[in-house]
Every structure is written in C-alpha cells, then in structure tokens.
Amino acid sequence: IVSSHLQQLELEQQLAPLLEHVDVIVAGGSHTLLADSNDTLRDGDTAGGTYPIVSQNKNGDPLLIVNTDNEFSYVGRLVVEFDADGRIVLDKLDNTINGAYVTTDEKVAELWGEGNDPFAAGSKGDLVDQIIWGAKGENGERVSKGIGTVIQEQDGNIFGRTDVFLEGRRSAVRTEETNLGNLTADANLAEARKVDTGVLVSIKNGGGIRDAIGFINAVGGEAVLPPPDIVNSLRFNNDLAIVTLTAEGLVAVFEQGLSGVRPGATPGSFPQIGGVRVVYDTELPARSRVVSLEVLGEDGNVVDTLVSGGVFQGDADRAIKAGTLTYLANGGDGYTAFTNHRG
C-alpha cells in the first residue's frame, strides 16, 4: 500500500503503472471525491470517479486507487481479497461495502443501528469524543479540555470583520487571482516593508490557502458570513522571508508558478500576488507563458516593466526584493527559482 500526497489525482493515476508489487494507492491532497453510484453524498456533491479506480501496476497486476473529499466529510472504506499469488481479485470487490461513507449523524446512526451508541463508554467512539471534548469524570462531567473546546475558544478571537465572501476555495485559489489571495499577499507585503521598505513584490502559493473565510448558502445564492476563521484558512502559518532576486529570476519564479496551469488541474504553486501585475497565456508552452510582468508602486502605477509582449525588458541582473513564504524561499512547491536566481 502506498500512501501519497501528490495533490492531483491524475498524478497518482500516472504513478500507478510505474510501481512494482503495489496493490493499493491511498491518494491524498486532491480532495477528489471517489464514490460508487450507491453511496450517499452530501447535497451538491458529485463523484469525481468510481471507488476504487481500477488500474494496473508495473507487473501488470491490479492496482486500486482510492481517495475521498477533505475535512472528514467522508470516510473511505476498501475491503479486498487476494488470490494465492497475492493479486487482488477484482470480482470480489463489493460496492455495497467499498466506497465513500458520508459523515452525517444520519449515516452514523444507520451504520450503528437503532439503539446503539457509537460513543458508548470504552468504545473507539468514546476515545474520539474524549479527544474532541475532553475526558469525563465519574458523573459524566468533563474533567479535561479537548481540542473542540480549544477551537470554540479560538473562534471567539475576532481580528476583523468582512461584508464579502473571501474566496479561498481550492478550485479558485489554485487557478485564478482571488480577493483572499490578494488580501493575504498584500498583508505579507505590508509586513515585509516594515522590515525593509525596498520590498516591491509579494508572492505566495495558492496551495497555502486552505479554505475560504465565510461560506455561501446555495439556497437562493445568499451569502452567509460566520466568524472568519483565519487559522483554518492559513493553517500552515509559514514564516515570511525577504528574497533579493534578479529581474530574470523574478520572471522565472512566475514561470514556475504558472507552469502547472491547465484545464482540470489545481496546482498548489499557482501564485497569489501583491505589488505586481502579470498577464500569462496558458496556450504557450510551460515556463514561457508570461506575456507581461509589471512591478507596481503603492499608488498602483507601474514602476518597472520586466516583460512586455512576451519579451524581457532591461537589465536581467537588476535586483528586485520580494516578500514570500519561507516554504517557497527554500524551493517549496517547485519554486526553485527563489534559490537559483538570487541577486
């Protein structure tokens, strides 16, 4: 069994035929909901494929790929049988057992049966309950604090208010510029300028934004805004770094960040930006997609043009200071240009 976190299910599918003697890949990071036609899904959800996806390994033997959506909205279950040679018997796969189990109260009650308590004392559910809400005393009172209590207390810390939905959903922040991407990139730029007023540009990866702030009630399209959850949205809590790049290096940074953009893909490297304006063309080959790149002043006016009409402009070695996450500054998410093109 291989547990992976390639963030694009198609990458696990490409990996499968390259692996020897592997039977199952538990995929991760793509949040793709694989499910059977008889699985109960949450309202509005649709399956992104069957559970499991049947493939082959390098030996030509069956290899199964499984994945479910994130935030524990589903729990996947896979039961397989093997023949005498250790190969999965595909005819024995049972879609009434295998699949995505929705984590609603109704489904839990259905699975446990009427009258059974999934959180009965001494059960695994009881252990989970203690982790979330704390251990119980003899009289049933909570005698310790669980993570659920900590989260509730944290939700009471209000840092600001917003009248608009701040777009941080995976499908958006990894494919386009969003208001939450702008806000957080601009915030990073402001912090960097407190240390060095010469910092001009802010770049962060869309994959570093893990959730929206607020949610949308699909009924009537009305926006409903609960208390914003900054920690959940920016849960990696990366430190910030100031990197001096060459102008050529900054262009290379953007080329790397945009290289994975294609229909159906949600690359974590997609750049969310501040202090800069970029135009790119996905019809062009990867790493040569930047059509224009302009550095902007605090008033929004152009202070430096690096690329115009797809042609690099000016001295390639001129220095430009950028604020970014330490994760990216050290080459994370494919941003090796941060380490290879420093001024």
Side-chain angles (χ1 to χ4, degrees):
I1 298 174
V2 169
S3 178
S4 64
H5 193 262
L6 300 184
Q7 303 195 59
Q8 306 285 333
L9 185 64
E10 65 184 80
L11 296 181
E12 272 96 1
Q13 292 176 284
Q14 293 171 18
L15 175 65
L18 306 178
L19 300 176
E20 294 183 356
H21 309 299
V22 171
D23 301 297
V24 177
I25 296 177
V26 180
S30 73
H31 305 170
T32 304
L33 172 58
L34 300 182
D36 298 318
S37 58
N38 57 351
D39 291 337
T40 301
L41 305 184
R42 293 179 182 272
D43 290 343
D45 284 356
T46 57
T50 59
Y51 191 107
I53 292 175
V54 179
S55 182
Q56 284 188 334
N57 61 24
K58 190 173 181 178
N59 309 94
D61 299 329
L63 185 154
L64 308 180
I65 303 172
V66 294
N67 200 98
T68 60
D69 205 353
N70 66 328
E71 301 289 354
F72 292 105
S73 51
Y74 298 86
V75 174
R77 186 184 189 193
L78 178 66
V79 177
V80 300
E81 290 189 29
F82 296 89
D83 64 19
D85 295 317
R87 298 183 182 91
I88 291 176
V89 181
L90 296 179
D91 291 342
K92 296 291 185 178
L93 293 176
D94 186 347
N95 67 6
T96 65
I97 296 174
N98 297 328
Y101 287 72
V102 65
T103 56
T104 59
D105 292 342
E106 293 78 12
K107 176 56 70 171
V108 171
E110 175 189 327
L111 293 173
W112 279 82
E114 186 175 355
N116 293 322
D117 181 7
F119 301 103
S123 68
K124 292 180 180 179
D126 180 42
L127 294 176
V128 173
D129 181 69
Q130 291 182 42
I131 292 172
I132 296 174
W133 299 115
K136 295 179 180 179
E138 293 182 359
N139 298 324
E141 77 281 7
R142 300 289 178 178
V143 296
S144 65
K145 183 182 294 187
I147 59 174
T149 307
V150 174
I151 292 171
Q152 284 185 334
E153 292 174 351
Q154 181 175 282
D155 283 345
N157 297 326
I158 298 175
F159 293 93
R161 299 184 183 276
T162 175
D163 292 327
V164 299
F165 177 80
L166 297 179
E167 180 60 89
R169 289 174 293 181
R170 177 191 181 91
S171 59
V173 293
R174 292 168 178 246
T175 58
E176 61 183 306
E177 191 175 9
T178 77
N179 57 358
L180 183 55
N182 287 157
L183 177 62
T184 54
D186 287 346
N188 290 350
L189 182 57
E191 285 299 305
R193 284 175 174 166
K194 290 179 182 179
V195 177
D196 187 339
T197 57
V199 178
L200 297 175
V201 177
S202 173
I203 304 170
K204 62 182 299 177
N205 59 325
I209 298 175
R210 309 302 292 182
D211 205 354
I213 293 180
F215 69 92
I216 297 175
N217 181 359
V219 179
E222 180 183 1
V224 181
L225 302 173
D229 190 347
I230 297 171
V231 173
N232 192 43
S233 180
L234 306 177
R235 65 186 73 166
F236 292 144
N237 197 28
N238 296 113
D239 290 332
L240 301 180
I242 296 173
V243 181
T244 301
L245 295 165
T246 63
E248 182 180 47
L250 182 60
V251 176
V253 164
F254 276 96
E255 290 289 7
Q256 288 181 336
L258 298 168
S259 63
V261 179
R262 62 186 183 280
T266 52
S269 59
F270 186 89
Q272 297 291 337
I273 57 177
V276 66
R277 180 165 57 216
V278 61
V279 176
Y280 63 97
D281 185 352
T282 57
E283 296 297 319
L284 296 174
R287 299 184 186 270
S288 61
R289 291 176 164 176
V290 174
V291 176
S292 70
L293 181 61
E294 299 168 320
V295 177
L296 308 177
E298 293 189 49
D299 58 2
N301 292 323
V302 177
V303 297
D304 194 358
T305 299
L306 282 71
V307 179
S308 177
V311 179
F312 186 85
Q313 305 291 312
D315 180 6
D317 292 327
R318 66 188 186 274
I320 298 176
K321 292 182 180 179
T324 191
L325 308 177
T326 51
Y327 171 62
L328 303 186
N330 292 319
D333 234 342
Y335 279 99
T336 56
F338 273 116
T339 58
N340 297 336
H341 293 275
R342 296 197 177 181

